[in-house]
Amino acid sequence: MANNNSEFLQRLKEHLRKLFQLDFGELDFGIYRIMNYKRKEIENFIEKDLIQTVEKEFEQYKTQNNQELLSKIEEKEKKIKEDFGSDILKNGKLIEEYGKTKLVKEYLELKSQLDQIKTTEDIQTRVFNDLYDFFSRYYEDGDFISKRRISSKQHKYAIPYNGEEVKLHWANFDQYYIKTGEVFKDYEFNLKNWRVIFRTTFADVETGNTKGETRYFILGADEPVRVDKGKETCIIQFEYRPLMEDDFKHYKVETKSGKEKTTGIKQNDLSPILSEKILKRVTDLEIKSILSERQSSGEEDESNEKTILEKHLYKYTRKITSDFFIHKNLKGFMERELDYFIKSEIIDLNNLEPRHITRAKVVEGIAKRIIEFLAQIEDFQKLLWEKKKFVLKTEYVITTDRVPEEFYDEILKNKEQKKEWAEIGVISAQNEVTRQSLKKLHLPIDTKHFSPEFKERLLEKLTEKGNLDDLIDGVLIKSENWQALNLLLEKYREKIQTIYIDPPFNTENEQFLYKDNYKDSSWITLMDNRLELARQILHNEGSIYLHLDENADYFGRFLMNEKFIYKREVIWNTSSLNIAGFKTKTDNWIYATGTILFYTKSNRYFFNTPHYEIPQVIKGYFKYDGEDEFGKYRMSRYGQKIYSSKEKGDVIPNIWNDILSFNYATTAADESFKFFTQKPERLLRRIIETSSKDGDRILDFFLGIGTTITVAHKLGRKWIGIEMGDYFKEFYLDYDKEKKEMITKTGILGRMKEVLAGTGNHEPCGISKEVNWQGGGFFKYHYLEQYEDTLHNIEFPNEEKGRQAQELFSKTEKGNEYLMKYFLKYETEGSSSILNLKQFENPFEYRLKIISGTKNEEIIKVDLVETFNYLVGLKVNRYKFIKDNSRKYVFVFGERNYRRVAIVWRETKDIDPEKDKKIIERTIGDYNPDEVFINGDAFYPKGYKVIESEFKALMGI
C-alpha cells in the first residue's frame, strides 16, 4: 500500500482508538476498565482485522470487476479481429485510424475501466477519508452526538421529524445523561519502577446532578507532595473545592491578551499551573525527570505535547469534571446515518460509475463492522445503566411515642442515640431522658444506632396491628434520581398524586457539570430522561410542578408539553414590590420572580382552589391596616396592599406576591438552612394543599435540603424524597463565603428528625405554628447502588471460558462477528453488580464493592429483601423473622396487583428440606397467599416462583 494511503489509514486508526477510548489506558474506573480488559481484542481489530477487511473488500470487487471486464474485452477483441483483421490490435496507428468506430470506442473504454480497477490506491484513499469523515462527525469527547448533516459542504443538519406542529430537538435527544456522582478514589500509575499516586484529601463536593459553586482541583494545604525514595513512591495530594480569594494569587490564569482571568475558569486552565507547582515540590531528580518527560496527548486541538504529569492530571480531573451520555440505540442510529451518508456524500446519481459504487459498498461493509464493535460496548453500558439498582442499606426513623414500651430500656441505654438527640437539638446534653419522656415526647430513634435484631423485632411488633407501608409516612432515598425512580417505578406506578421539583437551572455559573459546548443539551437530556419516569409514576388525577427561572423555563415548557397537559404558569414574586434594597442604580431590570409550571397527567385532575388565609397573611408577612368602607380587611407591606374579604380569603391568582424568598422575608429567617436554592415552606404548603388530599403521596426527586417532604409531613401527606448530595446526612460541611471557611450545616436527615421531634435546632419553623405541628412520625431511608458502583463491580469470571471461545470462534469471520456481539455480556456474567446467583445461597451476605458513598472502596452487604420488594412492586404488610433449622428466615407478606404475596428468604446451603418445608408451610399458611416466592430449591407443595429467576428478569439483565 502506498505511503499516501498509509497516512490516511493511520489517521483513521488513531480516530478509532479515540472512539474506543484507548488513549485512557491507565484509567481503572468506569467503562475504561472494560476497554482495558478488551484492549488486546480492540487493538487486534484496528491493526489487523480492519486492514484485512479493507483488502478483502477491495479484492472482492476487484475480482468481480476483472472477470466481468476481461470477458467483455475478450468478446470485443474477437469481434474487432473478425471485422478489421488480426493485425489491427498490433498497430497503434490502425487503432487511431479506426478509433472513431463504435466498436473500437467500446473496446478502449473497457480497457480504461480495467486500468482503473487495477489501480485501487485512489479509491482506498477516498474510502479511508470517507470512514474518517463519517465517524468523526458524530463523535465528540467520548460521546456520539446526534448531528445529522444534510451536506458536508453546506454544514446543514437534518432532524427526526414526524409531522408535529412544533418539534423540540437537541443534540443528545436519543441518549441518557449519566453523570451521577463525583467519586474520589486514589489514581495510580507506574513509571519506570516508580508508583505515582494522586489522592484527594479534601472534597467539598455535591454529588450527582446537583447545584452549587464550581469546584476545582488544587494542591492540598498540608504536604501536597511526598516522595519516598526507598519505596519509589510519589504521593500528590489535592483538594477539590471552590476557589477562595487567596487562591487567585497562587493560581493566576491569564487570557490570550495577557489579562488576569477571574471568571469562566476551567480545570484545564489550572492544570499547567498545578503541574508547575508539583514539579517545584518534587526534590528527587529521578522522578522529577520522569514526570517532566513529554509525550503526545492525543488531543487534536493541542499542537504542543504534554508532559507525563500533565497528561495524567488531565485524565484524573476528567473523571470528575466531565459528564457523559449513553446512546439508547447506537447501532440503529449509526446505521441509519451511514445509509444517509453513503447516498448523499459518496454516490452521485448523475455519475454512477462502477468505482463509486465499489467505494460505497466498501465503506458500508467496513463501517458496519466498526459500528457493530462500537454498539456492543455502548449497549453493554446501556444495560448497566438501565439495570435496576440494589438497595444497599435500609434504616428506619420513628418517634418514641409510636414505639412499643418494651423497647424503651434498650433505647435508654443507647449512647449514640442520645448523642444524636443532643446534636440535632431535640434535647439538651444535660437533660435526663426517662421512660416517661420517651412516651410523652416525639424523640426520633434511628435504627442505624441499634442492632439488626432490634430493628427486626421492632418491625415485627409494629406490624402486628397495622400494615407497614400504611404506618410509614415517607421514604427518603440517597441516590442519583434516575436510578431511584427506575427502581420505584413498579411499586409506585401511577400512585403519586403531586410532584414538585426544583431542578438545577441552566445557568452560566454551572450549577451542575455540563459537557463543554452542550450546556443546554445536557440540561434538556437530564430533564427529559427523568420526566419520562415521572410521567409513568404520576397518578392519572395527579399534578406536577416544575420550578425554573428565566434560564430554563422556555426549555422546560417544551419538555413538559410533550409529556403532560399544560394548566398554568405561576409567577412567584420573590421580593414583593418597592423594597428599599432595590432602589440602587442598575443598568438592567432587576430579576425578582421565579416561574412554576403547573401541569397535570390528564384533564381529570384534583384541584383544591386556594384562598388567602387572613391570619396567615397578617401574621406572616403583612401588617393589619383595618377595614375599608367595603368591609374588607386591608393589609400592606412596603406600600403594597392586598385586600381580602372578612368571611373568606380571596381566590389566589397565578401571581403570588405574598410569599417572599429568604432574601427579603425577615419572618422566614427562622427556617433558613442557608442552602443555595432553599424554598420557603409556605410556598410548598400552597402547592401541596392545592393539588392533594390528606394521605396522598408527594414526590420530589430534586430534593435539595428537603423542604418538600418537610411540608408534606407537617400536612399529613405521604412523601418520597430523592437526593444524591452530601447534604443527605444529618450534618454536612459547606464553604461559607462570608467567613471564608468550612462550616457544619444541618442536612436532610437532621432536618427530618427535627420535624419528627417537633423541636430542635431549627424547629418549630416555617409553617409549624400555622398548622399547629407538634411532631411525630415514621419514615425509612435507603442508600442505593449507583452506576459507578455497577461498573466498579464488573468482573470477568468467565475469562478462561471466554479465551477458549475466542480461540475457537476467531478462526472464522462469522466467529469474530459473534464474539464482537456477545463477548462482554458472556464474560461478565456472574459479576456481583449484574447478578451473582451463587451469592443467593446466603442472601443476607450478598456483597458489593461501593465507591459512590466514600472516598475509598467500601464492601457493603446488599439488602436483597428490600430490593426484591421494589422489583415486584410489593406493598409490604408485615415481616416475620425466624431462627430455625440452623439458619435465619425472613418472611415478607404483602400485596401486588390485588393479590396476596408471601416471599421467603433463607440460606440454602446444607438445608434440611423436610424441616424447611414445615417451617414455610407453618409460617405462611394462615396468610393464604395467591403468590409465593422462595429463593433456591424448596419442597413447598403448592408451587412457587424461584426468586433468583424473577430477580434477574425484573432487574432487566
Side-chain angles (χ1 to χ4, degrees):
M1 192 176 288
N3 290 334
N4 191 36
N5 267 350
S6 298
E7 292 176 8
F8 287 106
L9 177 60
Q10 192 60 34
R11 184 175 69 152
L12 175 62
K13 287 180 181 179
E14 289 174 0
H15 186 68
L16 289 178
R17 287 190 172 87
K18 285 189 177 183
L19 262 63
F20 291 107
Q21 303 188 40
L22 295 182
D23 51 338
F24 296 103
E26 299 88 348
L27 299 187
D28 187 31
F29 63 84
I31 199 64
Y32 303 118
R33 294 184 64 240
I34 297 170
M35 297 296 195
N36 289 336
Y37 175 75
K38 284 298 172 185
R39 175 178 293 272
K40 182 178 179 181
E41 284 84 351
I42 295 172
E43 285 282 5
N44 186 65
F45 172 76
I46 294 174
E47 287 294 336
K48 184 179 178 183
D49 290 355
L50 178 62
I51 299 219
Q52 289 179 348
T53 303
V54 171
E55 292 177 349
K56 185 175 181 181
E57 292 286 350
F58 277 118
E59 186 62 33
Q60 175 185 350
Y61 294 110
K62 175 183 173 182
T63 303
Q64 177 182 344
N65 289 329
N66 273 345
Q67 291 174 348
E68 183 180 348
L69 287 171
L70 286 172
S71 177
K72 290 180 179 179
I73 290 172
E74 186 177 345
E75 290 179 4
K76 296 294 182 185
E77 285 182 353
K78 184 177 180 182
K79 181 66 175 171
I80 288 173
K81 288 179 180 179
E82 291 176 353
D83 292 353
F84 302 105
S86 59
D87 293 338
I88 191 171
L89 298 178
K90 297 179 182 179
N91 192 326
K93 291 182 179 179
L94 291 178
I95 291 291
E96 289 182 8
E97 183 179 338
Y98 293 96
K100 293 182 180 179
T101 64
K102 181 180 179 183
L103 180 59
V104 174
K105 281 183 178 180
E106 290 174 346
Y107 171 76
L108 293 175
E109 175 62 27
L110 289 173
K111 290 283 287 184
S112 176
Q113 289 181 22
L114 181 62
D115 291 338
Q116 290 178 5
I117 292 300
K118 290 179 178 178
T119 308
T120 61
E121 183 177 318
D122 178 59
I123 304 177
Q124 287 179 329
T125 300
R126 299 189 70 174
V127 164
F128 295 140
N129 270 330
D130 292 334
L131 290 169
Y132 178 84
D133 289 344
F134 175 73
F135 286 104
S136 62
R137 69 173 48 180
Y138 298 106
Y139 182 79
E140 185 171 311
D141 294 336
D143 296 304
F144 288 92
I145 310 298
S146 305
K147 301 187 298 183
R148 180 177 177 181
R149 296 192 186 212
I150 293 177
S151 169
S152 61
K153 297 179 180 178
Q154 297 176 349
H155 299 291
K156 293 181 179 179
Y157 297 89
I159 66 169
Y161 181 67
N162 293 316
E164 302 92 337
E165 182 181 359
V166 178
K167 173 71 174 180
L168 174 64
H169 182 77
W170 61 98
N172 308 100
F173 84 102
D174 46 5
Q175 298 175 329
Y176 287 118
Y177 177 84
I178 67 165
K179 178 67 181 178
T180 61
E182 298 165 346
V183 181
F184 296 90
K185 182 174 175 282
D186 285 357
Y187 171 91
E188 181 176 325
F189 56 96
N190 297 316
L191 294 168
K192 300 179 180 178
N193 298 322
W194 278 83
R195 290 175 63 221
V196 182
I197 301 170
F198 291 170
R199 178 170 295 161
T200 303
T201 57
F202 173 79
D204 169 29
V205 55
E206 296 173 321
T207 52
N209 306 317
T210 59
K211 315 166 190 179
E213 191 173 354
T214 305
R215 274 89 168 148
Y216 301 93
F217 283 97
I218 61 174
L219 282 182
D222 300 323
E223 198 179 4
V225 179
R226 298 204 309 265
V227 177
D228 188 325
K229 176 69 174 177
K231 295 182 178 179
E232 294 184 308
T233 301
C234 177
I235 299 176
I236 303 169
Q237 301 189 126
F238 300 91
E239 294 178 359
Y240 185 66
R241 58 171 174 78
L243 294 178
M244 303 179 193
E245 188 174 341
D246 290 343
D247 293 326
F248 288 100
K249 299 177 183 177
H250 303 290
Y251 296 89
K252 289 184 178 180
V253 177
E254 295 183 347
T255 63
K256 291 182 179 180
S257 61
K259 295 182 179 180
E260 185 176 346
K261 191 176 182 181
T262 57
T263 60
I265 295 174
K266 302 292 184 183
Q267 182 65 50
N268 281 352
D269 296 330
L270 298 179
S271 291
I273 304 173
L274 272 176
S275 178
E276 183 181 348
K277 289 182 176 295
I278 290 169
L279 290 175
K280 284 183 179 179
R281 287 172 168 81
V282 176
T283 56
D284 185 89
L285 294 179
E286 182 181 2
I287 185 60
K288 189 170 188 173
S289 174
I290 293 172
L291 293 173
S292 302
E293 288 181 11
R294 293 191 172 274
Q295 56 182 223
S296 175
S297 65
E299 295 296 306
E300 290 183 347
D301 60 345
E302 293 188 19
S303 57
N304 297 325
E305 293 181 337
K306 290 182 177 179
T307 65
I308 290 177
L309 177 59
E310 288 173 337
K311 181 180 178 182
H312 285 283
L313 277 173
Y314 167 73
K315 293 178 181 179
Y316 181 56
T317 56
R318 185 183 191 271
K319 174 183 176 182
I320 306 300
T321 55
S322 295
D323 59 0
F324 303 92
F325 300 89
I326 293 176
H327 211 289
K328 295 177 181 178
N329 182 8
L330 181 63
K331 182 179 179 181
F333 165 71
M334 294 296 288
E335 287 188 345
R336 287 193 301 272
E337 295 306 299
L338 175 64
D339 181 68
Y340 190 88
F341 174 81
I342 289 173
K343 290 176 181 176
S344 63
E345 307 257 342
I346 298 180
I347 297 179
D348 184 355
L349 294 178
N350 296 318
N351 184 16
L352 294 176
E353 294 182 10
R355 62 174 181 167
H356 290 299
I357 296 175
T358 297
R359 170 186 158 205
K361 290 182 177 180
V362 172
V363 168
E364 181 183 39
I366 298 171
K368 282 189 173 180
R369 289 207 68 197
I370 297 172
I371 289 171
E372 185 71 47
F373 214 146
L374 289 168
Q376 61 89 23
I377 295 175
E378 190 84 356
D379 288 346
F380 186 67
Q381 292 184 74
K382 176 189 169 189
L383 178 143
L384 300 181
W385 172 257
E386 292 181 338
K387 175 196 82 84
K388 308 276 187 178
K389 300 302 183 287
F390 288 105
V391 177
L392 301 177
K393 182 181 180 182
T394 304
E395 298 293 352
Y396 297 83
V397 177
I398 183 171
T399 51
T400 52
D401 59 301
R402 298 192 183 189
V403 175
E405 291 189 44
E406 63 190 77
F407 295 90
Y408 281 8
D409 288 341
E410 291 175 81
I411 295 173
L412 290 171
K413 294 176 183 177
N414 194 304
K415 295 180 181 179
E416 289 299 315
Q417 184 62 79
K418 289 182 179 179
K419 179 182 177 184
E420 182 181 273
W421 287 338
E423 289 173 342
I424 63 177
V426 300
I427 63 169
S428 66
Q430 293 76 27
N431 285 0
E432 182 65 28
V433 181
T434 64
R435 291 180 66 90
Q436 184 178 5
S437 59
L438 290 181
K439 190 173 183 179
K440 183 179 179 181
L441 301 176
H442 306 292
L443 297 177
I445 70 161
D446 189 333
T447 56
K448 74 177 181 181
H449 299 306
F450 298 83
S451 67
E453 291 74 23
F454 175 92
K455 178 166 61 176
E456 292 170 359
R457 286 188 289 110
L458 178 61
L459 291 177
E460 273 197 7
K461 191 67 178 180
L462 290 171
T463 55
E464 286 179 358
K465 297 182 179 180
N467 293 332
L468 183 61
D469 277 0
D470 292 334
L471 295 174
I472 289 176
D473 300 307
V475 182
L476 185 58
I477 302 174
K478 188 177 193 302
S479 170
E480 189 279 331
N481 47 20
W482 194 93
Q483 300 297 342
L485 290 170
N486 192 37
L487 180 63
L488 295 176
L489 185 58
E490 191 61 32
K491 180 167 183 172
Y492 293 104
R493 188 183 298 273
E494 297 187 343
K495 293 178 181 177
I496 303 298
Q497 176 60 32
T498 305
I499 298 174
Y500 168 85
I501 50 173
D502 178 17
F505 295 159
N506 190 13
T507 60
E508 291 297 334
N509 57 2
E510 300 185 7
Q511 292 178 337
F512 77 102
L513 301 175
Y514 299 96
K515 175 172 282 293
D516 291 344
N517 303 322
Y518 289 97
K519 179 170 63 71
D520 290 335
S521 187
S522 294
W523 188 87
I524 296 174
T525 304
L526 163 88
M527 293 303 300
D528 183 67
N529 296 161
R530 286 141 189 83
L531 287 172
E532 177 56 34
L533 290 176
R535 186 188 65 80
Q536 298 178 59
I537 212 169
L538 187 63
H539 191 276
N540 194 48
E541 297 180 4
S543 303
I544 178 170
Y545 292 81
L546 177 60
H547 196 143
L548 298 171
D549 73 353
E550 60 184 349
N551 293 288
D553 55 3
Y554 55 103
F555 285 137
R557 181 175 293 221
F558 269 114
L559 286 172
M560 295 288 281
N561 286 345
E562 292 185 350
K563 302 181 188 330
F564 304 99
I565 300 174
Y566 171 77
K567 292 302 172 186
R568 190 68 70 218
E569 177 184 28
V570 173
I571 303 299
W572 174 37
N573 181 2
T574 61
S575 66
S576 187
L577 301 177
N578 303 320
I579 291 181
F582 278 2
K583 293 180 180 178
T584 56
K585 188 175 181 180
T586 177
D587 60 355
N588 195 0
W589 302 105
I590 294 170
Y591 186 73
T593 62
T595 299
I596 304 174
L597 300 176
F598 169 41
Y599 282 76
T600 61
K601 181 84 169 280
S602 70
N603 285 318
R604 188 167 162 250
Y605 62 97
F606 174 81
F607 189 82
N608 180 29
T609 304
H611 297 77
Y612 286 115
E613 294 188 18
I614 298 169
Q616 174 191 340
V617 174
I618 298 173
K619 200 170 188 180
Y621 295 114
F622 299 90
K623 72 176 184 177
Y624 172 50
D625 290 341
E627 296 183 18
D628 63 9
E629 63 271 26
F630 302 106
K632 289 191 174 183
Y633 286 95
R634 185 174 67 252
M635 286 77 65
S636 67
R637 179 176 176 83
Y638 299 116
Q640 181 190 14
K641 295 183 179 180
I642 291 183
Y643 293 90
S644 186
S645 63
K646 215 182 234 185
E647 294 78 16
K648 188 176 182 183
D650 290 344
V651 174
I652 299 172
N654 72 316
I655 298 179
W656 296 355
N657 287 318
D658 58 325
I659 303 175
L660 306 184
S661 70
F662 294 113
N663 293 329
Y664 310 107
T666 56
T667 55
D670 65 331
E671 68 173 276
S672 175
F673 285 76
K674 298 188 182 299
F675 188 76
F676 182 57
T677 59
Q678 184 184 349
K679 300 300 183 290
E681 290 188 14
R682 290 183 181 89
L683 183 71
L684 271 300
R685 179 189 179 187
R686 179 166 294 170
I687 290 171
I688 291 172
E689 286 187 330
T690 299
S691 296
S692 68
K693 304 181 290 292
D694 288 351
D696 282 344
R697 291 186 179 91
I698 313 298
L699 168 66
D700 186 341
F701 51 89
F702 285 100
L703 189 57
I705 201 61
T707 302
T708 302
I709 62 175
T710 293
V711 175
H713 193 88
K714 293 177 181 178
L715 295 177
R717 271 62 167 178
K718 302 276 189 180
W719 50 265
I720 300 174
I722 302 168
E723 181 53 60
M724 185 64 189
D726 194 47
Y727 37 88
F728 182 90
K729 301 179 295 185
E730 284 82 5
F731 301 99
Y732 69 101
L733 289 175
D734 195 27
Y735 179 69
D736 189 295
K737 292 182 180 179
E738 295 179 359
K739 296 182 179 180
K740 295 183 179 179
E741 62 182 18
M742 303 304 297
I743 62 173
T744 300
K745 292 183 179 180
T746 300
I748 300 172
L749 271 175
R751 182 177 187 181
M752 288 309 299
K753 288 175 179 178
E754 290 184 40
V755 170
L756 264 63
T759 185
N761 296 331
H762 300 82
E763 285 288 340
C765 71
I767 66 168
S768 293
K769 293 180 181 179
E770 298 168 13
V771 301
N772 193 29
W773 175 247
Q774 301 296 314
F778 181 21
F779 71 88
K780 68 178 177 180
Y781 63 95
H782 301 300
Y783 292 85
L784 297 192
E785 169 201 10
Q786 297 302 290
Y787 178 62
E788 300 98 324
D789 302 319
T790 305
L791 288 169
H792 186 65
N793 281 271
I794 289 298
E795 297 170 342
F796 302 92
N798 297 320
E799 180 177 359
E800 180 58 28
K801 290 182 180 178
R803 186 187 61 77
Q804 294 174 0
Q806 185 171 354
E807 291 178 357
L808 177 65
F809 284 104
S810 61
K811 295 177 181 178
T812 65
E813 182 179 348
K814 291 289 185 181
N816 269 325
E817 297 290 340
Y818 179 86
L819 283 173
M820 285 199 302
K821 191 170 184 179
Y822 296 108
F823 73 79
L824 274 180
K825 192 171 182 181
Y826 171 73
E827 292 185 16
T828 58
E829 185 176 351
S831 297
S832 297
S833 57
I834 297 179
L835 206 63
N836 186 336
L837 296 179
K838 186 172 179 58
Q839 285 199 54
F840 274 72
E841 289 183 353
N842 188 350
F844 314 119
E845 293 294 329
Y846 196 106
R847 297 172 186 268
L848 283 179
K849 296 177 290 186
I850 301 302
I851 58 172
S852 62
T854 61
K855 296 178 184 178
N856 299 309
E857 179 184 279
E858 182 181 9
I859 299 177
I860 290 181
K861 292 182 183 178
V862 171
D863 191 341
L864 289 182
V865 175
E866 196 71 15
T867 304
F868 192 63
N869 291 346
Y870 282 114
L871 291 179
V872 298
L874 187 72
K875 176 189 176 183
V876 179
N877 291 343
R878 62 187 176 92
Y879 283 99
K880 186 71 176 177
F881 303 92
I882 296 174
K883 288 188 177 179
D884 202 341
N885 200 12
S886 303
R887 67 201 64 237
K888 175 183 177 180
Y889 283 78
V890 175
F891 294 87
V892 188
F893 301 96
E895 305 165 24
R896 72 164 186 163
N897 301 325
Y898 307 104
R899 292 166 62 84
R900 296 162 67 85
V901 177
I903 304 174
V904 184
W905 296 89
R906 76 275 195 255
E907 184 182 356
T908 59
K909 188 176 180 180
D910 300 326
I911 196 170
D912 185 321
E914 289 297 333
K915 287 184 179 180
D916 180 62
K917 173 186 174 183
K918 292 178 181 178
I919 294 169
I920 296 174
E921 288 181 335
R922 180 177 68 243
T923 308
I924 71 175
D926 293 339
Y927 191 69
N928 192 26
D930 300 303
E931 286 183 295
V932 177
F933 297 88
I934 305 175
N935 72 298
D937 295 329
F939 282 0
Y940 186 71
K942 297 181 182 179
Y944 67 95
K945 296 180 180 179
V946 179
I947 286 178
E948 286 85 340
S949 56
E950 296 289 326
F951 208 113
K952 185 171 184 178
L954 292 170
M955 282 195 93
I957 53 175

